[in-house]
């Protein structure tokens, strides 16, 4: 798939009625600034968590959680 397990699982949970914070995923193949800005605006007020991730970050053969960057309490202009 285009997205990794975390994004896929968040999507499945949200579509099945679980309480999931607002989120969106951006693929490395399609990162258009206009789309990114409109999605950030859609998230509403407040601070954000921004996480980079890889498709093979967690698998049966490896666990690389935390190998990529995570930023907490990010303001919208800083995304």
């Amino acid at each position: 798939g285009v997205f990794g397990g975390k994004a896929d699982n968040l999507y499945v949970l949200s579509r099945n009625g679980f309480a999931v914070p607002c989120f969106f995923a951006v693929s490395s193949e399609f990162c258009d600034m206009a789309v990114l800005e409109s999605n950030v605006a859609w998230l509403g007020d407040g601070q954000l968590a921004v996480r980079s991730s890889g498709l093979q970050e967690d698998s049966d053969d490896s666990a690389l959680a935390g190998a990529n960057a995570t930023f907490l309490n990010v303001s919208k202009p800083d995304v």
Side-chain angles (χ1 to χ4, degrees), residues 16-66:
N16 286 287
F18 288 87
V20 175
C22 293
F23 72 95
F24 69 92
V26 178
S27 75
S28 60
E29 297 170 8
F30 181 77
C31 187
D32 179 273
M33 285 308 293
V35 172
L36 180 61
E37 288 171 357
S38 69
N39 278 290
V40 168
W42 169 79
L43 291 173
D45 295 329
Q47 301 295 93
L48 306 171
V50 178
R51 184 173 190 279
S52 64
S53 183
L55 288 176
Q56 300 302 321
E57 186 171 330
D58 294 313
S59 68
D60 293 338
D61 299 324
S62 67
L64 301 172

Side-chain angles (χ1 to χ4, degrees), residues 4-6 12-13 15 18 20 23 28 31 38 70 72 76:
K6 256 187 202 75
V12 169
L13 288 169
R15 291 295 172 226
F18 288 87
V20 175
F23 72 95
S28 60
C31 187
S38 69
T70 298
L72 303 176
K76 286 184 181 183

